[in-house]
Amino acid sequence: MGPPVRITRAGVVRGTVTGVALVATMTIMGCPRDSATHPARDDARSPQASPSSAAPSATGQAPVAQGTPRTVPALRSAMPAAGPGWRPAPGARVVTDQAGPLADEARRLADELKLGTAAGPAHPGDIELALRPDQAGGPEAYELTTHDRKVLITSQGEAGVFYGTRTVLQAVRSGGGLPEGVVHDAPDRAQRGLNLDTARKHFTAAWIEDRLREMADLKLNQFGLHFSDDQGFRIESDTHPEIVSPEHLTKAEVRHILALADSLHITVVPEIDSPGHLGAVIDAHPDLQLRDATGTALRGAVDIANPDAADIVDDLLREYAPLFPGAYFHLGADEYRALTYKDPESSFPHLTEEARRRYGSRARVQDLATGWLNDRAAVLRTLGKKPKAWNDGFFTGGVITADKDIEVEYWTGKELGARDPQEYLNEGRTVVNLNDEYLYYVLGQPNQFTYPTGQRIYEQWTPSVLRGTTPVEGGATPARVPGGRLAVWCDRADAQSPQQVADGIRLPLAALAQRLWNAGPPPMPWKDFTTLTQKVH
């Protein structure tokens, strides 16, 4: 491999990790620090070294024991070698082009390890960061070489270099430094993260930012933000201020959250759930309320035969899509209450009439709901977004079907008429795993939900376990099931404080990170995992 090549930030494209050839070697597990309450610079466990631009003295440092760095998620491949390894030492520096695309990564790591920064060249004791645009594995893969008391982290993309710095930080906490050798590391799944319901329970910007830092140290990269539901609408709106709840995030706060997420290589996925779960909108616009043939109002559901309902949702999509720079926008589409009736056509004759007017004499209410989803997805495409929707918003046997480019987010097999996840894969759809058996943290534990445990995720769940406890028979490849998220839902908002939520999801998030980075068997027993967690997280 040739010398590192530095390229500009504009030349680096983050994307899905594809086909990385990893040398089969020993693997060992670890876990990151908890940055939920303190940023890294305040961590007293970090080694103390005086920042300096001078070349460090590498003499007098005890060698690091040979082996594999202990991290979470566990490294995919490590080739140990004979040699002293690397420890942070007085005068050590993080070296990269100070005006280049990795300058922020260098400053972050230097701050965390109490080191200096410099433009180079690297000397014994230094850590060097560099981009190699032709390096294999994609922008999240990285190579970490420890040799002659120096460390070199290279990747095709900035995210990969960042993940390499997380490995350095965790290795220092778990073993005092990096053993001699070469690490090749990359995630098995491209979407790895946390989903947060801020609609039912308001979480402050500071709380959310703490979770982003915690996620980043676990090498998680996606944060779903469900900010609209029956109980609240939690982001400032310019187009429809009348729907916004008293407790909400300002757009300035959201921009700060997004800037932090971007710096940590996390994509934020906003969600405005429709045509159900729009109670906060209906409270301000009662004329949009869906009613059945007897005049009974259905909580949270808008009348999808009323064009005003589509107009207000499209207004909101057009307002918020530019605010969130990530590729995805979530449309919800779950639990539309008209479709929970035994005979939706007779119970909602005006919806049936509109469905047949639009889609022909054989159309049903489910076709009108599918048309709603497709129409909202079309709006998002004009805004440069990829649409996502929950699995119970996709139906069979209708005269129209949901567009194939809408990603299925599979959460349950318990809903009326729920389809097996294999059906979506057989249709050629992309399916993201939010299995409510393992990955749903529902406040108050209603409807037979129980708080997920890290141990169950760690020992039993894999990305192919999309429903219940049984893996799908086939097709759950990284391309077809690109990952998953742990989901916090606040059905009983007062059941836990924000701090209790943070504490409760800590180990489940760590376990999820392991299973999405490496879908193979866990590399150490759960007890050892939790012990290591206390040491480095």
Side-chain angles (χ1 to χ4, degrees):
M1 186 171 292
V5 178
R6 296 179 176 85
I7 59 178
T8 63
R9 182 179 296 271
V12 181
V13 179
R14 298 179 190 162
T16 303
V17 173
T18 58
V20 58
L22 298 175
V23 180
T25 56
M26 60 191 297
T27 308
I28 192 165
M29 178 69 175
C31 196
R33 65 175 175 85
D34 182 3
S35 58
T37 57
H38 300 289
R41 64 177 59 89
D42 294 330
D43 193 335
R45 292 173 297 167
S46 295
Q48 300 299 312
S50 301
S52 171
S53 61
S57 171
T59 61
Q61 290 292 309
V64 178
Q66 292 183 24
T68 300
R70 291 158 61 85
T71 65
V72 92
L75 303 178
R76 300 288 296 279
S77 170
M79 296 179 289
W86 175 91
R87 293 181 186 274
R93 310 165 304 169
V94 183
V95 172
T96 197
D97 180 355
Q98 297 298 290
L102 299 178
D104 53 346
E105 311 294 0
R107 285 191 292 269
R108 178 186 292 110
L109 183 61
D111 188 39
E112 290 166 327
L113 293 177
K114 304 297 188 285
L115 306 179
T117 59
H123 300 291
D126 288 344
I127 303 170
E128 183 177 6
L129 312 181
L131 293 170
R132 283 184 173 141
D134 297 327
Q135 185 165 309
E140 288 192 309
Y142 67 92
E143 179 180 287
L144 188 156
T145 302
T146 305
H147 177 64
D148 195 25
R149 299 192 185 274
K150 290 188 291 188
V151 177
L152 173 63
I153 302 171
T154 62
S155 175
Q156 184 186 118
E158 294 172 51
V161 172
F162 173 69
Y163 296 147
T165 68
R166 300 306 86 194
T167 294
V168 172
L169 185 63
Q170 294 171 29
V172 170
R173 291 195 167 125
S174 63
L178 287 161
E180 200 87 359
V182 180
V183 167
H184 292 93
D185 202 17
D188 183 64
R189 307 288 160 147
Q191 297 187 41
R192 312 176 304 278
L194 172 67
N195 210 74
L196 179 66
D197 169 18
T198 65
R200 295 177 178 88
K201 182 181 183 69
H202 175 62
F203 292 89
T204 66
W207 191 94
I208 292 171
E209 289 169 6
D210 284 342
R211 302 289 76 68
L212 292 174
R213 295 185 185 97
E214 182 177 356
M215 289 172 59
D217 282 349
L218 291 166
K219 300 173 184 170
L220 299 172
N221 68 355
Q222 192 176 82
F223 180 73
L225 190 60
H226 178 94
F227 66 92
S228 169
D229 213 302
D230 297 342
Q231 295 81 358
F233 192 98
R234 301 291 182 180
I235 297 180
E236 174 188 359
S237 174
D238 299 318
T239 61
H240 290 282
E242 72 280 2
I243 70 173
V244 178
S245 301
E247 284 189 309
H248 64 270
L249 298 173
T250 67
K251 286 189 175 178
E253 288 176 316
V254 172
R255 291 187 182 97
H256 194 274
I257 289 169
L258 292 168
L260 176 63
D262 182 66
S263 74
L264 298 173
H265 306 278
I266 295 171
T267 297
V268 178
V269 181
E271 180 189 353
I272 297 178
D273 199 345
S274 77
H277 295 279
L278 281 173
V281 172
I282 293 170
D283 286 346
H285 297 273
D287 54 309
L288 302 182
Q289 177 78 67
L290 176 66
R291 297 179 182 274
D292 65 16
T294 69
T296 301
L298 278 71
R299 184 188 183 202
V302 295
D303 183 348
I304 56 178
N306 184 345
D308 292 341
D311 288 344
I312 193 170
V313 172
D314 289 350
D315 285 346
L316 295 170
L317 294 177
R318 293 188 177 100
E319 176 178 2
Y320 290 105
L323 178 63
F324 291 88
Y328 292 101
F329 204 112
H330 205 303
L331 291 168
D334 62 310
E335 297 181 317
Y336 188 54
R337 292 179 182 270
L339 295 173
T340 65
Y341 278 56
K342 183 177 181 181
D343 185 358
E345 282 65 51
S346 62
S347 298
F348 300 90
H350 77 290
L351 295 184
T352 304
E353 179 182 356
E354 181 64 16
R356 291 172 178 170
R357 185 186 72 80
R358 294 189 191 184
Y359 306 116
S361 60
R362 295 187 298 111
R364 294 177 287 164
V365 174
Q366 74 169 51
D367 294 300
L368 196 62
T370 299
W372 171 282
L373 174 60
N374 286 345
D375 289 346
R376 308 290 78 74
V379 170
L380 287 182
R381 289 187 205 99
T382 68
L383 300 167
K385 302 298 182 184
K386 299 177 182 179
K388 290 175 173 279
W390 298 112
N391 65 283
D392 49 333
F394 296 77
F395 309 102
T396 58
V399 298
I400 64 170
T401 59
D403 294 339
K404 285 292 181 66
D405 70 330
I406 303 173
E407 282 196 0
V408 180
E409 302 237 321
Y410 200 99
W411 70 280
T412 189
K414 300 172 185 174
E415 293 290 305
L416 179 68
R419 299 167 58 197
D420 190 280
Q422 188 67 55
E423 293 185 27
Y424 301 92
L425 296 171
N426 293 343
E427 293 171 4
R429 297 186 182 276
T430 300
V431 182
V432 179
N433 193 325
L434 287 93
N435 183 344
D436 64 348
E437 175 69 24
Y438 292 97
L439 305 179
Y440 260 39
Y441 192 97
V442 185
L443 267 61
Q445 304 182 108
N447 302 320
Q448 299 182 322
F449 282 110
T450 58
Y451 292 126
T453 69
Q455 184 171 5
R456 284 196 77 213
I457 297 169
Y458 187 75
E459 295 178 346
Q460 301 175 20
W461 180 83
T462 71
S464 65
V465 181
L466 286 156
R467 173 180 178 172
T469 60
T470 305
V472 294
E473 293 181 359
T477 63
R480 301 295 303 286
V481 182
R485 297 194 303 281
L486 181 76
V488 175
W489 297 103
C490 302
D491 291 40
R492 295 177 181 169
D494 295 332
Q496 288 192 343
S497 68
Q499 186 57 54
Q500 287 174 316
V501 174
D503 293 341
I505 66 175
R506 182 167 169 263
L507 281 174
L509 266 181
L512 179 79
Q514 171 61 33
R515 301 317 301 265
L516 290 173
W517 193 268
N518 187 345
M524 65 166 53
W526 173 251
K527 182 179 179 181
D528 295 341
F529 175 90
T530 56
T531 299
L532 187 59
T533 295
Q534 296 303 317
K535 185 174 184 180
V536 301
H537 188 12

